[in-house]
Every structure is written in C-alpha cells, then in structure tokens.
Amino acid sequence: MSTSTSAAGKIRLHHLIDERWSPRSFEDREPAESVLRELFEGANSSASCFNEQPWRFVVARKSMDAEWERMLGILVEKNAAWARSAPVLGFSAGKKTFTHNGAANRFGLHDAGMALSTMMIEAVALGLRVHGMGGFDARKARELFHVPEDFEIGAAFAIGYSAEEQPPQRKRNALEHVVFEGDWGRPAGFAR
Ligand SMILES: Cc1cc2nc3c(=O)[nH]c(=O)nc-3n(C[C@H](O)[C@H](O)[C@H](O)COP(=O)(O)O)c2cc1C
C-alpha cells in the first residue's frame, strides 16, 4: 500500500485518496462491463439527504461510436482535446425535488457530487481514474440526452486507465484557510 504526505507534509492519507488524481491522457482500452458496473455501484452507494439518491449519470462508451461522439461534442474545445482519449465519457445530474413529497431538495446536486466523489475513489481501487469537468455545455447535454427539467446537470467526466504518471505534489490550500472552529474565519486549532 502506498501512502504519501499531505500538502502540509505531515499527514499520511489513505492510498485510495492519495492516488486519486485527474489525468488528461488515457490508454486506448475500454473498461470491462463488470468494472463499469462496480464503478457505478460505488457511486450508487453514496450517502444522500433522506436517502433520496438523487444522482443520475449518462455515459457513453467509445465502442458506441455515435453516442460517444455526441458526448464529446458537449465539451468545450479545450477539454475535448484531451478527453478524446477517454474510453468513457459522461455527466452527472441531481434531482431537484424529493420523490416522497415533491418538496425542493437543495442537496440534489450536492449529493450527486458526493456520488461522483465516491466513484472517483472506487475507480482508484479498480486501477481507473475519473477526471471531472465543468467545461461543457450543460444546456446542450440536456437537449441531446433528454434530461428532464426536474434534474440539474452536474459535472461531466472522463473515465479510463491513465496513460500518464501521477503528478508528484498536489496544490492545496493550507488547512487553516479551510477549516474554522467556533466562528467563520477562525482557523481550527488542529488546522494550524
Ligand atoms: C466539478 C469539477 C469541474 C472540473 N472542470 C474541469 C475542466 O473543465 N477541465 C479540466 O481539465 N479539469 C477540470 N476539473 C479537474 C480539476 O482541475 C482538478 O480536479 C483539480 O485541478 C485538482 O487536481 P486533481 O484532481 O488531480 O487532484 C474539474 C474538477 C471538478 C471536480
């Protein structure tokens, strides 16, 4: 099991977290159906408000030519340039209302993000990597893939076996600017 230190150089994170990163180049091989199944079972196991499970994913595999090309076409040019090597592309969506009573669920997209994050960790366990993307046309995604109005589009993503090495160091804000204790802006004692 490999571990490394955090940005602060003190904490050893679990290797599944430590080895997650966002590559921009993927090997030319498609993950097996069983692998994709496990990946999305991981996402689907995530926590959610009222156990609503508001996440949905639309994916396209390179082997499904037309759909994959259509998915590639929703990305901004800069992303499409590298994501073209990914065997699987997709995007997430979060349901805006609770199913049991129709009330607004302000955690829909939040929980869809949690599911994607869980999937990113499961991907590392499977030897894959998932690269999230905000640079895409969400309106186009909705139109082309017939996403209902009750779902908010989340993030696009590329899935595959990385063809590049993990960068040596993460760039992260110091914890004292991220975790407050007792009041906003007051760095937590353990974060300093
Ligand atoms: C919601 C979201 C949107 C992102 N949008 C893009 C994007 O449009 N293009 C891109 O190359 N990377 C994108 N990224 C990847 C981030 O740039 C990356 O996660 C960040 O730089 C940290 O690097 P790491 O994931 O390798 O730790 C996105 C990530 C997330 C979670």
Side-chain angles (χ1 to χ4, degrees):
M1 179 188 296
S2 79
T3 52
S4 77
T5 52
S6 73
K10 288 174 192 155
I11 308 290
R12 293 166 79 88
L13 297 175
H14 191 278
H15 75 108
L16 290 180
I17 294 171
D18 192 49
E19 291 167 17
R20 185 216 58 78
W21 93 101
S22 305
R24 288 195 169 82
S25 169
F26 295 91
E27 290 179 8
D28 185 21
R29 61 179 168 123
E30 203 167 283
E33 292 217 326
S34 58
V35 169
L36 290 173
R37 171 82 193 233
E38 186 172 332
L39 201 58
F40 284 93
E41 288 285 8
N44 204 32
S45 75
S46 194
S48 62
C49 183
F50 214 79
N51 199 17
E52 169 65 31
Q53 303 162 57
W55 47 78
R56 301 290 186 276
F57 303 96
V58 182
V59 298
R61 290 180 254 172
K62 224 175 210 170
S63 53
M64 306 158 58
D65 276 350
E67 285 87 351
W68 184 88
E69 285 290 344
R70 199 180 307 149
M71 194 65 86
L72 190 69
I74 70 171
L75 303 179
V76 297
E77 224 173 284
K78 213 171 148 195
N79 282 334
W82 62 261
R84 150 175 313 282
S85 70
V88 184
L89 294 171
F91 63 88
S92 66
K95 191 164 184 281
K96 293 194 270 190
T97 56
F98 285 109
T99 303
H100 70 284
N101 64 2
N105 177 10
R106 76 182 185 88
F107 301 104
L109 208 52
H110 172 276
D111 292 349
M114 298 239 297
L116 186 60
S117 182
T118 305
M119 180 167 80
M120 287 179 173
I121 300 300
E122 187 66 23
V124 179
L126 291 163
L128 293 154
R129 296 295 180 278
V130 179
H131 188 146
M133 286 173 278
F136 72 105
D137 187 335
R139 212 170 52 185
K140 204 168 163 185
R142 183 182 293 285
E143 274 173 25
L144 290 178
F145 296 95
H146 309 111
V147 180
E149 276 306 316
D150 196 24
F151 285 81
E152 195 167 348
I153 309 275
F157 52 79
I159 301 173
Y161 297 98
S162 176
E164 60 189 47
E165 293 293 310
Q166 181 172 8
Q169 192 135 40
R170 279 186 210 287
K171 290 187 194 134
R172 290 299 185 266
N173 297 321
L175 217 52
E176 61 183 322
H177 301 302
V178 176
V179 191
F180 307 137
E181 193 165 24
D183 200 7
W184 186 268
R186 187 194 297 158
F190 55 81
R192 280 188 287 239

